Amino acid sequence: MADGGNVVEGEVDDDEPPTMTYPLITVSDLPSSSTAGRNLKEWLQEQFCDKPLEQCEDMRLHNAAYVGDLDTIKSLLQEDSFKQRINEKSVWCCGWLPCTPLRIAATAGHGNCVDYLINHGAEVDLVDVKGQTALYVAVVNGHLDCVRILLEAGADPNGSRHHRSTPLYHAARVGRVDILQELIRFKADVDVDHQLGPRPLFSARTLSTLVVCPLYISAAYHHLHCFRLLLEAGANPDYNYTGPVSREALNRGLASCLLDAVLRHGCEPAFVRLLLEHGADPLLVPWEEPDPDAMGRVRVNPEALNIYQEARKRPNRLTDLCRVAIRQVMGKHRLRHISSLPLPDSIKNFLLHRDFCSLS
């Protein structure tokens, strides 16, 4: 879902959040580009930057954002020429993608620079040539402080429609519960937007693979707390999707619904319980006994399998059906207000799925 690439460019695709740290250096300490590198940078500059090459030679603002040199940023932004360039996309000293100073600072994790640039006119939702926003690269590089600053400044928590991934999807994939909580707090959509990505004119994009679902990716990497957080925030427990679903296409793939996927990935019983408690339909799974040849190398968790099989045999409890119905009527964007309702704590905890033992 998310594109891979160099850490400096903000497009890591590792299984764990990057732990890269940046030295405290200033613009004057930066190395010059090699001849070979300069030729490629010049081509990128000509193709994708906001201004011709001859007008973009002074990259001090972009370079200062990269190294976190706030003093230089403050000094430069006192000049009108640099004030006018605060949203300019350009190739800087150590980068290859043309980016704005804000995008560069967010990639490197310099929260003080991100905050200062925003307060002096930097646009928070500008995208680079790959459709990535400053918020997206801050999430990809695991910079929680930058994520908070950008969200509080009004950054779109869903990223950009021009990019095939979202901040929330990436946070769910790498298991960053803290970042996921911030995105949800600022109303990031926990379901897949059916308009995300290219689609034929006048036709709805249908779900034909579960890989695009945040719930699926959190289960595939066995991030239980992310999985639970998404469900508590109102994620659809069957398809985690807001548009039309192609069940025929899913049946030809590896899993027909999220419950099927959780079983096939050998997830622990808590994943199955959570899906069922939040209203997942066990009858959407097209088998009752697993076929070893169809399951691949992963062995279905025996306890999780037993919970699923029991759910197929008996109807849901009336209390569980009532809770699911009430939460659906409220809508996922109102669920955060349950805690403030004039109701007994026992009822609020019931609606918030907090009447069960906490997950380990």
Side-chain angles (χ1 to χ4, degrees), residues 175-228:
R176 287 298 299 265
V177 178
D178 51 353
I179 290 178
L180 199 61
Q181 287 174 325
E182 289 299 309
L183 292 168
I184 291 173
R185 184 164 71 92
F186 282 87
K187 302 181 181 180
D189 197 342
V190 292
D191 287 315
V192 179
D193 186 336
H194 71 278
Q195 295 187 23
L196 189 65
R199 64 192 193 283
L201 191 63
F202 302 124
S203 67
R205 181 170 179 255
T206 59
L207 180 71
S208 58
T209 173
L210 293 172
V211 175
V212 299
C213 299
L215 265 182
Y216 172 88
I217 206 66
S218 64
Y221 284 92
H222 294 250
H223 298 311
L224 178 58
H225 291 289
C226 290
F227 190 80
R228 182 176 192 175

Side-chain angles (χ1 to χ4, degrees), residues 270-291:
F271 284 88
V272 176
R273 289 195 188 98
L274 282 170
L275 283 176
L276 293 172
E277 289 165 7
H278 285 81
D281 183 0
L283 298 180
L284 289 175
V285 181
W287 52 268
E288 189 168 354
E289 290 287 342
D291 180 357

Side-chain angles (χ1 to χ4, degrees), residues 6-11 41 44-45 47-51 56 58-66 85-108 117 122-123 126-134 137 141:
N6 188 288
V7 171
V8 172
E9 300 296 345
E11 299 176 87
K41 284 190 178 184
L44 288 167
Q45 188 96 355
Q47 295 295 316
F48 300 110
C49 293
D50 290 339
K51 291 186 178 181
C56 295
D58 191 344
M59 293 291 99
R60 283 181 292 166
L61 184 60
H62 293 70
N63 294 344
Y66 169 66
R85 298 178 59 190
I86 196 169
N87 292 312
E88 181 181 287
K89 299 174 188 175
S90 187
V91 175
W92 72 104
C93 61
C94 298
W96 298 93
L97 284 180
C99 301
T100 65
L102 179 63
R103 154 69 160 80
I104 297 169
T107 300
L117 288 165
E123 296 182 29
L126 285 181
V127 297
D128 59 24
V129 297
K130 298 196 75 173
Q132 300 172 131
T133 63
V137 297
N141 286 280

Side-chain angles (χ1 to χ4, degrees), residues 11-49:
E11 299 176 87
V12 256
D13 202 25
D14 298 326
D15 288 343
E16 296 299 331
T19 56
M20 185 175 184
T21 57
Y22 292 82
L24 294 176
I25 56 179
T26 63
V27 173
S28 60
D29 298 317
L30 294 172
S32 59
S33 302
S34 65
T35 302
R38 188 180 306 114
N39 293 336
L40 177 56
K41 284 190 178 184
E42 289 178 359
W43 182 85
L44 288 167
Q45 188 96 355
E46 292 171 355
Q47 295 295 316
F48 300 110
C49 293

